[in-house]
Amino acid sequence: MEIVYVYVKKRSEFGRQCNFSDRPVEINVDIHPDPSQATNFIERNPIDTGIQCASDMSEHEVNTERFEMENEGVNHLEGGWPKDVNPLEMEQTIRFRKKVEKDENYINTIMQLGSLMEHCIKQNNAIDIYEEYFEDEETADIADEPPSAKTITVFRDPNVIKRTATHLSWHPDASKKLAVAYSSLEFQRSSKEMSYDSYIWDLESPNRPEQLLRPSSPLVSLEYNPKDSHVLVGGCYNGQIAYWDTRKGGQQVELSTVEFSHRDPVYGVIWLQSKQGTDCFSASTDGQVLWWDIRKFSSPTLLVAKEVLKRRSLKPVLWMYSHGAESRLYPTKFMVGTEQGMVITCNRKAKTPAEKIVGTYSGHHGPIYALARNPFFPKNFLTVGDWTARIWSEDSKESSIMWTKYHMAYLTDGCWSTVRPGVFFTAKMDGTLDVWDFLFKQNDPSLSVKVCDEPLFSLRLQDNGRFIGCGSKLGTVTLLEVSSGLCTLQRNEKNLARAMFERETKREKILEARHREMRLKERTKAEGKEEEVK
């Protein structure tokens, strides 16, 4: 059956807008049912039919191919020298420069460039495009929002046998890279199948580490060089010191010899402020503090042996501090924490062993796991050990000036905020991160975050004060971002923190003088009774 319907329209009406109107129903075609087709169908009674007004849709998910990124280093060599001049020979280069400086063409060129440079200098002196008009104004107060922290990303140990994230180090050039040292700190619990590798992670690709670091023994500590971001130094579990250059791959560039290294795991390794940027020092539980130059790892450049520390009946060194501002103020002094809960101030340039120990601070009941100076007030430093964190002043050696309450869980690490003088962070064995703001309240932390279920072992804050990494016992590194109120300097905060530290230091001095006076009276009474008995 063929159905044909012809539509007739004038040429002038082509493209004209359609105007619809109501009109009676009109039947154009009527198709009658064919009884012979009924045998092909099965009757169904009752009949339930669902009708949708929308067309059928299907959902599909497609993963696009990930763009693989690689970092490659380029070694630049000084060029432009004539063939007969060796750029590595200083005498030849100096002789060639003197010869060129006497050339008339060179002098004329410099004179022409000098006028252009003088014009640019005058422009810069007239208008400073980098001038900050409101730098003297105090930072405005942040809106009253409750302190908070959110998880940004999580890095997990890619190996089957999980190890503890013992130390974290941020890339010094504000890059989104984090170096993590992995090791098993439980004595004789490491298996032969356990990996020795540590990793450098990129925050934008948390699924796979950016670079491997292959040490001869598991790394307990790892630090970026602040002057050369390609160089890292690490302390091994067997006591050796090694350093890496990321431009040369993951193999260690040089390793210290066993006979001149530590005898215990190296729990602390820190770069020194020097012109070359190649000096560092390390501390271990064998009671030694060693100074190293990575250009010559055959033997340490300076040694503070454990015999010096044993003179004061102290046990081995556990942790130490270093800060940029502090190193400039006290270039010859350093501090170490001991397993007995005591902090020792040492002088590395002392000539006799007795002069190497300057003073001691005693206040913890167990090993000191973290020791850091306040970046704004170097005379005040933070110690973390047993169940508390304590703030000390160099002027008060008998007791700390401030301390936190005793927690139910053991404290494992701590650090100061890099942007706020009254804020510091502590990590606990129950997997909790505490943020303390002593200008706000002293009895309880301003913020407590349950990071994970396993114990936290390491803590490191980025220089901007916003991102903090927390390493756990099972090798999980959680990156948190704190709220703007915890990483923004408040109005008049420096003056308030200085006044608080000075007030507490003065109070402790008064109490120390009172205790000395009472002890003197008791001694005098005891001597008087002995004379009466005689």
Side-chain angles (χ1 to χ4, degrees), residues 348-395:
R348 65 189 180 106
K349 290 192 175 181
K351 296 180 180 180
T352 62
E355 295 177 354
K356 287 188 177 181
I357 294 182
V358 179
T360 59
Y361 304 84
S362 179
H364 286 282
H365 306 296
I368 294 177
Y369 289 108
L371 199 160
R373 283 192 178 264
N374 191 304
F376 297 90
F377 308 106
K379 282 192 173 183
N380 300 103
F381 57 92
L382 171 74
T383 59
V384 173
D386 54 62
W387 301 271
T388 60
R390 295 178 177 270
I391 299 176
W392 302 75
S393 173
E394 280 193 346
D395 299 333

Side-chain angles (χ1 to χ4, degrees), residues 30 38 97 120 125 167 197 208 374 413 442:
D30 186 9
R97 285 195 182 97
C120 295
N125 291 336
H167 201 270
D197 296 341
R208 189 177 65 180
N374 191 304
D413 203 355
Q442 293 83 28

Side-chain angles (χ1 to χ4, degrees), residues 11 134 136 162 165 184 241 258 260 307 443 505 518 521:
R11 175 78 178 182
F134 305 104
D136 295 334
K162 304 302 180 184
S184 177
I241 308 294
V258 176
F260 292 106
E307 286 76 12
N443 297 329
T505 303
M518 292 174 64
K521 288 182 178 179

Side-chain angles (χ1 to χ4, degrees), residues 453-499:
D453 295 330
E454 64 263 21
L456 293 178
F457 265 83
S458 54
L459 202 65
R460 197 64 179 268
L461 186 70
Q462 201 179 25
D463 290 339
N464 59 10
R466 180 174 293 272
F467 299 105
I468 184 167
C470 307
S472 72
K473 183 178 180 180
L474 298 181
T476 301
V477 178
T478 306
L479 182 64
L480 300 172
E481 181 182 4
V482 299
S483 58
S484 58
L486 293 173
C487 60
T488 304
L489 189 66
Q490 305 295 313
R491 184 186 299 275
N492 203 27
E493 182 174 359
K494 287 185 179 179
N495 295 332
L496 293 175
R498 180 186 295 107

Side-chain angles (χ1 to χ4, degrees), residues 277-348:
T278 59
D279 299 325
C280 62
F281 68 104
S282 60
S284 170
T285 47
D286 64 349
Q288 296 185 101
V289 179
L290 304 180
W291 269 258
W292 304 89
D293 189 337
I294 63 173
R295 297 172 298 182
K296 187 184 68 172
F297 255 179
S298 59
S299 62
T301 57
L302 188 62
L303 170 69
V304 179
K306 55 187 176 183
E307 286 76 12
V308 177
L309 302 179
K310 284 181 178 178
R311 284 176 170 269
R312 299 295 182 94
S313 299
L314 301 175
K315 283 204 172 178
V317 176
L318 189 62
W319 283 93
M320 56 193 164
Y321 79 92
S322 179
H323 192 275
E326 190 281 328
S327 297
R328 290 191 293 271
L329 291 174
Y330 307 95
T332 61
K333 293 182 179 180
F334 68 96
M335 277 181 156
V336 290
T338 69
E339 289 185 324
Q340 259 56 41
M342 187 173 293
V343 178
I344 312 169
T345 305
C346 302
N347 186 355
R348 65 189 180 106

